[in-house]
Amino acid sequence: MATAIAPANIAFIKYWGMRDTHATLPYNGSISMNLDACLTTTTVLFDPNLPDDEVVLAFYGQAPQTAQGRARERVVQHLDRIRALAGIPTRARVDSTNTFPADAGIASSAAGFAALTLAAVAAAGLHLDTYELSRLARRSGSGSASRSVPTGYVEWYNGDDVGSYAESIAAPDHWHLANIVAVVDTSVKKVGSAENHRLAVTSPYFQTRLDELPARLDAVREAIAQRDIARLGPLIEVDAISMHAVCMTQVPPSFYWNAATMAVMEAVRTWREQGVQAYYTMDAGANVHVICEGHQRDEVNHLLQALPIVQFTIANNVGPGARVLDSAALVTDTN
Amino acid sequence: MATAIAPANIAFIKYWGMRDTHATLPYNGSISMNLDACLTTTTVLFDPNLPDDEVVLAFYGQAPQTAQGRARERVVQHLDRIRALAGIPTRARVDSTNTFPADAGIASSAAGFAALTLAAVAAAGLHLDTYELSRLARRSGSGSASRSVPTGYVEWYNGDDVGSYAESIAAPDHWHLANIVAVVDTSVKKVGSAENHRLAVTSPYFQTRLDELPARLDAVREAIAQRDIARLGPLIEVDAISMHAVCMTQVPPSFYWNAATMAVMEAVRTWREQGVQAYYTMDAGANVHVICEGHQRDEVNHLLQALPIVQFTIANNVGPGARVLDSAALVTDTN
């Protein structure tokens, strides 16, 4: 038995479009920061007495419930990968809890599959390093889970199965950035990210986005290295708009933004004219992630909370990656 | 002296990006319908006693006022073109009134410069046909004014100065389409269309949009010929999103949508799932134009009026093009 905790992450350069659905390979590299307040905690117990895997998920604000259908199947398939690595047939009980709303563009599946990966690997007695753990988390089908494994600021590389892994490009204490999630919608997505990743290639703008990304990845990496919010912020916004422009021009189109999303975006632009260095980004959901430096975190949080269309906020600092809680000795290097 | 009336028009395939700012040549052809309830009426009086041109504009809901600065200059420059054609030096008094809010994405300048073109040409004693009038209206700097000259459904062709003109591709009675303008914002635009047309080329997606347009123009032309709303509607929406994706990815980006825009778009998609064949498009502004067939016009209008974020609506049928009111004999063919 082992318990692991893993953060959600917010991408500065988005992962959009899946090149290989079997191995979960992206079309492009991506860069993110881990969120220290959006966490999933998962316990895996391999038990020879279990006739089948049991998966119990406690979503934010809801009682724990046994997973069914596709949700259960994805967990079982991931346990199968880890059982194959460990050479064990044993069934497992999985218990997982979230500190934030699932399925609303806050990378709940990234945190979930990163935590599952580390807990199951430790419980199975395997010794894997961050490179292997990030590749394994990637193969869960939730590719961005690979970015929730290393610490702090993380890059996930495009590549083949061996070359597509995530690593830390800066530790949390390199630069105190904050990410305030402005939650405007906690409803479940109509179209899951996985399906939409397959549709990315139907956008006429998708190839142009890919052509642009190498230069933008370089620029974001440099801006993080130089702790330059005035350079990083506009790049984050440009990349978010670029990704959503692809979504909206897919066949059929996907619209993740709603009225509240637009209102928050407009508010952030207005605050910026007034000297608040805050920038927005949206994942595959309506909620808005506002990035700023740590010294403006409380100000930005209060501004967002004062907007009538914001239900609540989650204020994050840059956080560590996934880690095993009670079996640390079994894992050689998780960060 | 002559008075002309001209309609605004709503583009199914948008004009976005100006290839030649002197001759007002677009990068792509566009297709629109004229709006029978969004009209500008303009009277031009050439008066040898006037020391200078006088331009009086009565915007929607406001008292008439003498135009100053850039607004006056554009009218004077257009009068200069017509004076040069007529070989007269005479100064003019121009009086213009609108039935709809200006500067809010309802093509007020298209209606305005089409009406000015016809009134000034007639007042100057010139005889020009629709081809010449549409080219002349185009050269005003408000390129889509060329589409407000011919009747009904109109295509404006890409081309050189001689080849870039507008002509009717179907009369109003060919197909009774309606366009309900859902007005959510009557404030003046922060960035004018003319400036933004110059920025279009800075979007990484602009060339891809241009590459797609010949096929989309063919499809829209066919859908109009076949009176096929189920085919036309999705093409209209795709083109609007494509244009706004270009705007949002320009350097610097332009965001025309606001929270209310998104809410109306979402409402239209919901109504469609319930059997209302309505489709949205947005010009360079936040207001939403909803297109449907005539038999659903009143239903769509009531649905839009019931949305709290809609200030008021303007219900249009397909209308005739620009026409001279009191000097028709001077113009050989205005439709």
Side-chain angles (χ1 to χ4, degrees), chain A residues 198-221:
Chain A
R198 282 188 285 274
L199 292 176
V201 293
T202 67
S203 164
Y205 296 152
F206 183 59
Q207 185 58 50
T208 305
R209 168 169 166 76
L210 294 184
D211 295 344
E212 285 207 309
L213 282 177
R216 201 182 292 148
L217 283 161
D218 288 347
V220 164
R221 219 180 287 115

Side-chain angles (χ1 to χ4, degrees), chain A residues 190 204-206 208-209 212 216 237-238 241-243 245-246 248-249 253 255-260 262-263 265-266 269-270 273 280, chain B residues 190 204-206 208-209 212 216 237-238 241-243 245-246 248-249 253 255-260 262-263 265-266 269-270 273 280:
Chain A
K190 287 181 196 168
Y205 296 152
F206 183 59
T208 305
R209 168 169 166 76
E212 285 207 309
R216 201 182 292 148
E237 291 193 351
V238 162
I241 302 301
S242 161
M243 173 203 140
V246 167
M248 291 188 280
T249 52
F255 296 95
Y256 287 114
W257 302 348
N258 63 22
M262 295 305 285
M265 288 166 68
E266 203 169 319
R269 289 195 294 266
T270 303
E273 288 169 9
Y280 52 74
Chain B
K190 287 180 194 165
Y205 296 152
F206 183 60
T208 304
R209 169 170 165 76
E212 286 207 307
R216 201 181 292 146
E237 290 192 352
V238 161
I241 302 301
S242 160
M243 172 202 141
V246 167
M248 291 189 280
T249 52
F255 296 95
Y256 286 115
W257 303 347
N258 63 22
M262 294 306 284
M265 288 167 67
E266 204 168 318
R269 288 194 295 266
T270 304
E273 289 169 8
Y280 51 73

Side-chain angles (χ1 to χ4, degrees), chain B residues 113-180:
Chain B
F113 279 101
L116 176 66
T117 301
L118 265 72
V121 161
L126 290 165
H127 294 69
L128 302 178
D129 62 12
T130 303
Y131 163 77
E132 290 291 357
L133 289 168
S134 74
R135 284 184 57 225
L136 188 55
R138 186 203 82 220
R139 296 183 62 97
S140 67
S142 177
S144 51
S146 67
R147 290 196 313 249
S148 288
V149 173
T151 190
Y153 300 88
V154 175
E155 180 160 5
W156 170 26
Y157 302 106
N158 188 8
D160 59 10
D161 182 47
V162 170
S164 186
Y165 63 97
E167 68 179 0
S168 179
I169 58 173
D173 63 3
H174 166 72
W175 187 18
H176 182 189
L177 279 191
N179 171 35
I180 323 289

